[in-house]
């Protein structure tokens, strides 16, 4: 496919054409009329002039599309002195993933969008231009022309301003280009296209004829090395001129869904169309006219059609009638004949028209005298005959495979709700050509998929933009089987199941509950819900300064389109991650309000990956949706961040728990901090870790140096801040007494300053309050409740555990202390302690225990870590230590 | 009373006994108790409310149940879960994942097990069991997609919680707690552990994400309650098939509790340990003595069971030794006394033994050295002696340093009970120095 532009292996030589003209004297820029590209080992030269659409070397083996505006030399005389000013176009896959849904439909594989982001770098090195390309403008609601060949032109319908898709302002396009969008004529004379087989059938179209012939000459004289850029272009049956295609569309438009047209109706319609075709309007406007006809999507909008045509619609035309109709019209109106042909081609195999094959043949014979049709048939006639239901079925199988592929793609994008609108399906016509090319594509994609399977999932990037088309093709066929046609449908065709089987890469989810969760009922429950750490507060109090700093940092980087690193440290629960998320939320909001160029945000967490190198995989997947092994992902990312891509939007990468990305060689950290230093990368890295001195402690110099000195440290919350946090969370839900709040916040601030802890204590206090208030009836959480919660969470269980231990266990602890005192050491063997134990038993007047019991007692104490023990296989010689202070033990035992 | 019964009655009587035994054994082995657990009402309520909130309101929670072994942690949890699942709409909603630190020894296995128990593995075929990394990403993705109000809450039960804290980076714990602290699928993470210092095992960021709720089960009951538990454990339920038998049985248990000797046995047991498992063991031994001809538990049964429970294992082994081996043990005892616990080797023991043979012995033969070595090795196999760890492992067998794993008191006790022990051996043992 033409999407598969490989980087040129051979050197190209660029030279100026035309006389230099100076416009800006100060800049010493010299403007030229054109650029001549000569490729090594090939005699061909191509010329590019302003107004042409060009392909530019891009990253990851894909070329960018742009329109050439100016060519100039900056006069430095160096190799890169040739410059070009361009108007960018973006392909769908260049649109950030999170914005892709805004399109609201599946993109056409050859669809590009006018790139209307103002501050985009539109000045490129002229020597990165590969070749010209054909770009057509289509009205927003007009269908894409049927894919006819591998060498499809690109289509522009919408523009992309970084936030939304909007219809292309044609004037803008025209003025910026200086020329109307006449793709075929605009480029064929300038740059030879490899292996362009011009279909003769197109010769009907007078405006395009001269250019065609010119192109033919070109292609005959100069065979462009196919292996170069447009490697997968196929010698094919091209109806590449828009006019011809348009005619097909027109003809399609006439086709009524159930062929319920009266003859007159058809005639009138066709005449009408003919007039439209033959009128000498500018092509652009004509295209508009086509687009404005809703009926141009033939088989799909039967209702529209019917409404439009209803006044005359009397009843169904009989087949004979129809045939006669065709014969009659045929000789007179050539385009109409085309119409018929396409009609048949589309529906013939389905025998929607109810024609028998012989009749169809007959009609072909009738058409034969018309040279256009012969020519057309020479190109496409064969397939018409061979287009049996069986071949359709084959393509149906193929399409089901594609649906699966598409599903995978969708799932990778995490949009599991795969629901194609019927309206979207309408756009794509199940013309024969489409089908055929689909089968061609299939074989091709099969071979491709073989090569893909070698590289595994990572190679499938190319498949990403491809799949939408294939999936669309499949549903596009299904409407032909809509109920109003079913009676005449051949039984051999079964509808393609939408979801053939469970996709392999489905993201699973926890099944949803049968009843929805209950809403909080009373004040305490409400407070509890608000106090849960997971509930997202309206604002983040007490972190205004930090918020502002991070915000300014990221905002400036996004504005400037540069990159940078920031290191954020702070003990757990001080709101580091929350603040960054808040910043990103605000920035996203600003980006939506057009105050900021849009950017994409990616988050990785060192704790949420199994080993540091997985970071690459996760970043790549979130950035592009690709799956790759760690090494491959690293290579791809390296390439991505080191190749220039003027249109790329800034990436903000949040690396949480940075310290876990530590490896011995530290290459993960190195890369993370090295990428932002590339000028083209436009990467902002926010690294979060717990310790302030992490860069100094664990990073080697070159890593620490790249991290830079933009650091920020989050201090633990003070008690006032904690109090404010709780109050703001509660947000006027009165559940706590003020004293109680103060106690909690003071206590937590003294211990750790961890906001999570504070919230958890408050939550527990509400629970305690709820239980006790069932008895007492007071509504608010009081000091006593908070005290109880604090006790629960912070009191050491050791003393209670000792008090609750059995008598023998208590005696054993006493024996341990006695033995320690005797030895003057903090360690003794079990044998020694047990002797003390027996002695103490005698003193206490208890029956003595045997050794086995004594050991069991000792091990029980060891299991709950009141004692620290060696492993028990050492038996008598097992060494014993206390895990609690002696004073605690004595205190606990004295009271008991 | 069985004498009065006719033959048919006797048959049903036997059936009754076997049925009662089966029921009680099930109770003892599976740690099932009739009714609510005893003396832990507040903990029970806390846990129940917590899980209810997760199930009903979709509130995420994490809690640790801490208590010594046999304190009834699992019993409490099962009891709460059973109670919870009786509510119909809770039962329909809650998903359970049971993990055990002894089984899921690392995070990879744990993740697979979670995926399996959540029935997510069939969603993606075999793919999910690809790499560990994929697995983790997969599961996190699954949990992330849920939200508080619409997803079914998942109850994660981590038995032997402390062992999970030893996994690399504590990845699993971090992620579970992180889910419980963020607006994702509601989860309740319940950890069961016997380590009181479990919080110190958690890394600080993991700890920060844990809610710090701990339920302590410290078996703080008194002997009176212990007696109650004993009675409750042995009593047959009201709905036992043969009501008369049950009544008789329960009556017998009641009288058993009032028996002085039984109380003594239980008191001793209570002193040594409060855990339910050892009580169950005692009762099991007593129960197994019940037969048709001996249709009820008698105080003597309990005494016997208690004797079995508290028997010293090493003293029992000593009873089965030959006189030569006993002599070697005594020689080793003397060596330990002389050198104050320092290790010794076979040659030293042999010399000591030779001295005894030559000077004092009249009844013990002078065995060949290989025979003595054989006896020495047998002692080693019985683990009554233990070779020292360290560099001496490689030395010749006779000179390998070993230590005695017996206390003097154990040896003297064993000698007293040893059948037909030669008096000169006894004398040698009691004499202060070899």
């Amino acid at each position: 496919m033409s999407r598969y532009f490989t980087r040129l292996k051979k050197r190209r030589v660029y030279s100026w054409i035309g006389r230099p003209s100076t416009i800006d004297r100060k800049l010493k820029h010299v403007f030229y009329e054109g650029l001549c590209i000569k490729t090594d080992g090939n005699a061909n030269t191509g010329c590019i002039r302003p107004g042409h659409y060009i392909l530019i070397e891009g990253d990851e083996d894909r070329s960018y599309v742009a329109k050439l505006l100016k060519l100039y030399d900056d006069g430095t005389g160096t190799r890169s002195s040739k410059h070009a000013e361009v108007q960018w176009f973006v392909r769908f896959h260049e649109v950030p993933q999170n914005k892709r849904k805004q399109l609201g439909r599946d993109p056409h594989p050859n669809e590009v969008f006018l790139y209307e982001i103002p501050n985009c770098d539109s000045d490129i090195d002229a020597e990165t231009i590969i070749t010209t390309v054909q770009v057509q403008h289509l009205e927003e609601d007009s269908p894409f022309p049927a894919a006819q060949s591998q060498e499809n032109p690109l289509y522009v319908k919408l523009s992309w301003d970084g936030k939304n898709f909007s219809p292309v302002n044609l004037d803008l396009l025209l003025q910026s280009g200086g020329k109307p969008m006449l793709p075929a004529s605009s480029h064929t004379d300038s740059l030879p296209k490899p292996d362009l087989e011009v279909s003769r059938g197109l010769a009907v179209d007078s405006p395009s004829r001269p250019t065609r012939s010119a192109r033919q000459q070109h292609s005959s004289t100069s065979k462009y090395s196919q292996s170069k850029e447009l490697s997968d272009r196929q010698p094919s049956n091209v109806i590449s001129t828009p006019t011809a295609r348009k005619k097909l569309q027109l003809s399609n438009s006439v086709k009524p869904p159930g062929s319920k047209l009266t003859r007159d109706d058809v005639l009138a319609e066709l005449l009408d169309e003919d007039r439209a075709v033959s009128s000498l309007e500018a092509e652009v406007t004509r295209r508009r006219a086509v687009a404005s006809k809703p009926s141009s999507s033939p088989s799909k909008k039967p209702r529209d059609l019917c409404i439009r045509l209803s006044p005359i619609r009397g009843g169904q035309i009989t087949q004979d009638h129809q045939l006669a109709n065709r014969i009659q019209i045929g000789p007179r109106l050539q385009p109409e004949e085309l119409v018929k042909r396409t009609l048949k081609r589309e529906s013939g195999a389905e025998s929607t028209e109810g024609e028998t094959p012989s009749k169809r043949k007959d009609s072909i014979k009738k058409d034969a005298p018309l040279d256009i049709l012969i020519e057309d048939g020479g190109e496409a006639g064969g397939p018409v005959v061979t287009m049996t239901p069986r071949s359709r079925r084959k393509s149906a199988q193929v399409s089901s495979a594609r649906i699966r592929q598409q599903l995978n793609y969708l799932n990778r994008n995490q949009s599991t709700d795969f629901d194609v609108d019927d309206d979207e399906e309408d756009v794509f016509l199940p013309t024969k050509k489409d089908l055929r090319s689909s089968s061609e594509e299939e074989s091709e994609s099969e071979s491709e998929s073989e090569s893909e399977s070698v590289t595994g999932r990572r190679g499938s990037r190319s498949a990403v933009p491809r799949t939408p088309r294939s999936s669309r093709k499949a549903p596009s066929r299904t409407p032909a089987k809509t109920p109003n046609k079913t009676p005449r449908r051949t039984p051999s065709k079964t509808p393609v199941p939408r979801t053939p089987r469970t996709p392999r890469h489905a993201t699973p989810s926890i099944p949803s509950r049968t009843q929805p969760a209950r809403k909080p009922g009373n004040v305490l429950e409400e407070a509890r819900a608000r106090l849960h750490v997971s509930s997202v507060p309206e604002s983040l109090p007490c972190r205004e300064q930090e918020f502002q700093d991070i915000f300014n940092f990221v905002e400036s980087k996004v504005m400037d389109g540069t990159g940078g690193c920031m290191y954020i440290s702070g003990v757990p629960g001080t709101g580091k991650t929350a603040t960054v998320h808040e910043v990103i939320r605000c920035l996203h909001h600003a980006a939506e309000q057009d105050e900021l160029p849009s950017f994409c945000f990616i988050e990785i967490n060192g704790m949420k990956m199994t080993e540091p190198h997985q970071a690459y995989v996760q970043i790549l997947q979130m950035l592009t949706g690709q799956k790759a092994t760690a090494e491959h992902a690293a290579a791809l990312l390296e390439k991505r961040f080191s190749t220039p891509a003027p249109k790329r939007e800034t990436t903000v990468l949040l690396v949480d728990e940075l310290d876990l990305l530590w490896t011995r060689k530290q290459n993960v950290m190195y890369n993370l901090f090295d990428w932002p230093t590339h000028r083209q990368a436009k990467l902002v890295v926010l690294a979060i870790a717990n310790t302030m001195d992490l860069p100094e402690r664990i990073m080697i110099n070159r890593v620490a140096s790249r991290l830079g000195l933009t650091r920020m440290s989050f201090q633990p919350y003070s008690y006032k801040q904690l109090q404010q946090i709780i109050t703001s969370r509660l947000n006027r839900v009165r559940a706590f007494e003020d004293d109680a709040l103060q106690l909690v916040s003071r206590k937590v601030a003294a211990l750790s300053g961890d906001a999570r802890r504070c919230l958890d204590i408050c939550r527990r206090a509400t629970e305690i309050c709820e239980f006790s208030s069932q008895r007492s009836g007071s509504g608010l959480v009081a000091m006593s409740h908070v005290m109880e919660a604090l006790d629960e969470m912070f009191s050491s269980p050791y003393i209670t555990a000792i008090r609750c231990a059995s008598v023998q266990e208590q005696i054993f602890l006493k024996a341990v202390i006695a033995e320690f005192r005797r030895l003057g050491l903090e360690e003794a063997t079990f044998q020694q302690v047990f002797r003390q134990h027996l002695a103490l038993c005698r003193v206490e007047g208890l029956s003595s225990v045997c050794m086995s019991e004594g050991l069991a007692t000792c091990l029980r104490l060891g299991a709950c870590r009141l004692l620290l023990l060696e492993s028990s296989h050492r038996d008598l010689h097992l060494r014993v230590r206390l895990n609690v202070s002696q004073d605690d033990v004595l205190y606990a035992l004295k009271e008991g | 009373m069985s004498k009065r019964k006719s033959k048919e009655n006797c048959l049903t009587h036997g059936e009754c006994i076997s049925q009662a035994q089966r029921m009680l054994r099930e109770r003892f082995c599976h740690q099932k108790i009739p009714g609510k657990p005893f003396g832990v009402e507040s903990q029970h309520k806390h846990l129940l409310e917590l899980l209810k909130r997760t199930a009903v309101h979709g509130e995420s929670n994490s809690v640790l149940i801490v208590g010594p072994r046999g304190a009834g942690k699992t019993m409490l949890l099962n009891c709460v879960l059973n109670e919870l699942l009786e509510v119909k709409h809770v039962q329909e909603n809650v998903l359970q994942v049971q993990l055990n630190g002894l089984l899921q020894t690392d995070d990879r296995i744990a993740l697979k097990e979670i995926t399996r128990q959540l029935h997510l593995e069939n969603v993606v075929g075999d793919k999910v069991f690809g790499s560990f990394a994929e697995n983790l990403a997969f599961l996190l993705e699954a949990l992330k997609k849920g939200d508080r109000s619409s997803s079914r809450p998942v109850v994660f039960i981590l038995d032997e919680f402390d062992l999970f804290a030893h996994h690399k980076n504590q990845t699993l714990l971090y992620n579970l707690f992180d889910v419980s602290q963020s607006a994702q699928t509601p989860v309740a993470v319940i950890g069961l552990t016997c380590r009181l210092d479990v919080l110190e095992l958690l890394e600080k960021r993991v700890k920060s994400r844990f809610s710090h709720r701990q339920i302590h089960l410290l078996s703080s009951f008194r002997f009176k309650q212990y007696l109650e538990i004993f009675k409750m454990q042995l009593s047959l339920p009201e709905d036992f098939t043969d009501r008369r038998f049950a009544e008789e049985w329960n009556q017998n248990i009641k009288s058993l509790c009032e028996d002085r000797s039984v109380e003594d046995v239980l008191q001793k047991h209570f002193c040594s340990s409060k855990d339910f498992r050892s009580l169950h063991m005692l009762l099991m031994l007593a129960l197994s003595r019940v037969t048709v001809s001996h249709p009820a538990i008698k105080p003597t049964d309990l005494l016997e069971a208690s004797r079995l429970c508290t028997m010293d294992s090493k003293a029992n082994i000593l009873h089965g030794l030959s006189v030569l081996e006993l002599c070697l043990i005594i020689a080793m005892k003397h060596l330990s006394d002389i050198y104050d616990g320092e290790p010794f080797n076979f040659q030293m023991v042999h010399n000591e033994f030779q001295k005894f043979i030559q000077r004092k012995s009249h009844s013990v033969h002078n065995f060949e050295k290989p025979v003595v070595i054989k006896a020495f090795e047998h002692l080693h196999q019985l683990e009554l002696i233990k070779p020292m760890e360290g560099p001496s492992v490689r030395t010749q067998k006779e000179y390998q340093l070993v230590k005695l794993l017996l206390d003097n008191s154990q040896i003297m006790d064993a000698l007293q009970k040893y059948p037909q022990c030669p008096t000169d051996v006894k004398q040698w043992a009691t004499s202060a120095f070899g």
Side-chain angles (χ1 to χ4, degrees), chain B residues 5 34 55 57 76 96 116 135 145 155 163 170-172 209 217 319-320 371 373 392 401 424:
Chain B
K5 287 183 178 153
H57 294 286
L76 172 72
Q96 272 188 56
R116 194 186 66 73
N135 217 330
K145 283 189 81 181
V155 178
L163 296 177
Q170 302 186 348
T171 309
L172 180 74
R209 280 165 176 79
L217 282 184
H319 291 170
V371 179
I373 288 187
S392 67
L401 291 174
D424 45 356

Side-chain angles (χ1 to χ4, degrees), chain A residues 414 416 502-521 525 528-529 532-534 536 572-573 577 605 607-611 614 618 627 656-657 659-660 690-691 754 756-757 760 763-764 767 770-771 774 792-795 797-798 800-801 803-809 831 835 838 846-848 850-853 857 860 863-866 873-877 883, chain B residues 45-46 49-50 53-61 68-69 89 92-93 95 118 120 123-124 126-127 132-133 136 138 140-143 145 148-154 168-171 174-175 178 180-183 185 194-197 200 203-214 216 218-220 268 270-275 310-314 386 389 403-407 410:
Chain A
Q414 288 156 20
T416 41
T502 12
R504 279 169 78 78
H505 285 273
T507 38
S509 55
I510 305 297
S512 53
R513 46 193 301 157
T514 46
Q515 289 94 15
R518 207 179 287 165
K519 292 273 175 287
E525 281 179 4
R528 201 150 53 224
H532 198 282
V533 185
S534 72
V536 181
T577 313
N605 187 324
M607 269 295 204
K608 291 184 179 168
M609 53 188 71
T610 48
E611 56 110 27
Q614 285 295 321
Q618 294 198 359
K627 274 193 170 181
D656 216 339
E657 314 292 359
D659 48 334
L660 283 162
N690 287 148
T691 44
D754 185 337
R756 289 196 190 106
R757 192 74 326 97
D760 282 332
R763 215 149 54 85
R764 177 68 188 136
E767 285 167 27
E770 196 168 27
F771 295 152
Q774 283 163 2
E792 253 185 40
M793 290 190 177
F794 290 111
S795 72
Y798 287 117
T800 343
R803 279 184 194 159
C804 294
S806 70
V807 178
Q808 291 290 345
E809 286 161 355
Q831 195 172 15
R835 278 182 198 147
L838 287 179
L846 292 167
S847 58
S848 67
C850 68
M851 186 78 88
S852 295
E853 272 182 294
T857 308
R860 268 203 300 274
C864 55
R865 285 299 188 278
L866 283 168
H873 75 264
R874 292 182 58 105
D875 209 74
L876 284 185
H877 308 290
N883 197 25
Chain B
K45 192 174 179 192
H46 185 177
E49 289 296 318
L50 191 93
R53 277 202 306 278
T54 303
V56 177
H57 294 286
E59 180 185 300
S60 290
N61 276 311
R69 293 212 182 276
H89 78 267
E92 284 166 0
N93 283 329
L95 297 168
L118 287 177
L120 291 172
V123 177
V124 281
D126 54 340
K127 190 64 188 165
F132 181 28
L136 179 67
F138 172 86
L140 288 178
E141 189 62 43
L143 290 172
K145 283 189 81 181
R148 179 182 172 139
S149 53
S150 65
S151 301
R152 292 174 75 172
V154 187
K168 190 189 164 220
N169 286 346
Q170 302 186 348
T171 309
Y174 178 92
N175 286 310
D178 198 51
S180 84
Q181 298 250 315
S182 51
T185 304
C194 62
R195 284 186 66 162
L196 298 171
D197 62 344
E200 290 159 36
E203 213 194 329
K204 57 180 188 276
R205 51 192 147 209
V206 181
K207 197 174 168 182
S208 167
R209 280 165 176 79
F210 169 56
S211 73
H212 278 63
R213 284 163 193 269
Q214 295 185 67
H216 293 292
L218 295 167
S219 46
S220 55
K268 196 178 168 220
F270 177 73
C271 276
S272 109
S273 104
K274 283 174 168 180
D275 79 26
T310 57
M311 227 160 16
D312 190 287
S313 53
K314 276 180 191 157
K386 189 173 176 345
E389 290 142 359
K403 265 188 169 182
L404 184 61
L405 292 185
L406 287 167
D407 196 53
Q410 282 173 308

Side-chain angles (χ1 to χ4, degrees), chain A residues 185-333:
Chain A
S185 59
S186 69
H187 85 281
T188 39
D189 56 339
S190 58
L191 195 72
K193 283 288 182 181
D195 292 325
L196 280 179
E197 239 185 53
V198 184
S199 64
R200 284 155 293 159
L202 299 171
V204 201
D205 199 37
S206 50
S208 67
R209 195 182 281 165
T211 64
R212 289 245 150 237
S213 55
R215 199 189 343 177
Q216 260 181 325
Q217 279 173 9
H218 260 291
S219 56
S220 57
T221 53
S222 54
K223 289 275 176 192
Y224 212 79
S225 66
Q226 201 181 342
S227 61
K228 289 268 174 68
E229 48 265 40
L230 310 169
S231 57
D232 34 11
R233 192 172 296 163
Q234 288 189 357
S236 54
N237 41 340
V238 206
I239 308 184
S240 46
T241 37
T243 41
R245 195 184 308 111
K246 193 187 70 189
K247 210 166 285 163
L248 285 175
Q249 287 165 6
L250 286 173
S251 63
N252 288 344
S253 73
V254 196
K255 192 196 116 192
S259 69
K260 290 180 179 176
L261 284 177
T262 60
R263 179 186 147 198
D264 294 353
D265 207 6
V266 173
L267 257 175
E269 187 67 26
L270 292 179
L271 280 168
D272 211 51
E273 295 297 317
D274 188 43
R275 228 178 297 129
V277 171
S278 56
S279 67
L280 291 166
E281 287 170 23
E283 261 189 352
V284 179
T285 46
R286 264 200 275 161
R287 213 169 289 128
R288 232 182 242 154
V290 174
S292 63
K293 283 202 200 310
S295 59
S296 57
S297 53
S299 57
K300 300 312 145 39
K301 291 192 173 168
R303 204 150 296 166
D304 289 10
L305 255 179
C306 292
I307 291 164
R308 212 155 53 88
L309 303 172
S310 54
I312 329 173
R313 191 178 66 187
Q316 296 206 348
I317 320 171
T318 60
Q319 292 174 9
D320 292 354
H321 202 128
Q322 229 184 356
L323 196 62
N325 186 6
R326 190 176 304 121
I327 294 162
Q328 275 182 3
I329 305 162
R332 274 194 295 126
L333 305 164

Side-chain angles (χ1 to χ4, degrees), chain A residues 383-396:
Chain A
V384 174
V385 182
T386 55
M387 186 46 76
T388 58
R390 188 197 159 114
S391 67
R392 284 250 178 152
R393 234 181 302 133
K394 192 183 163 192
S395 63

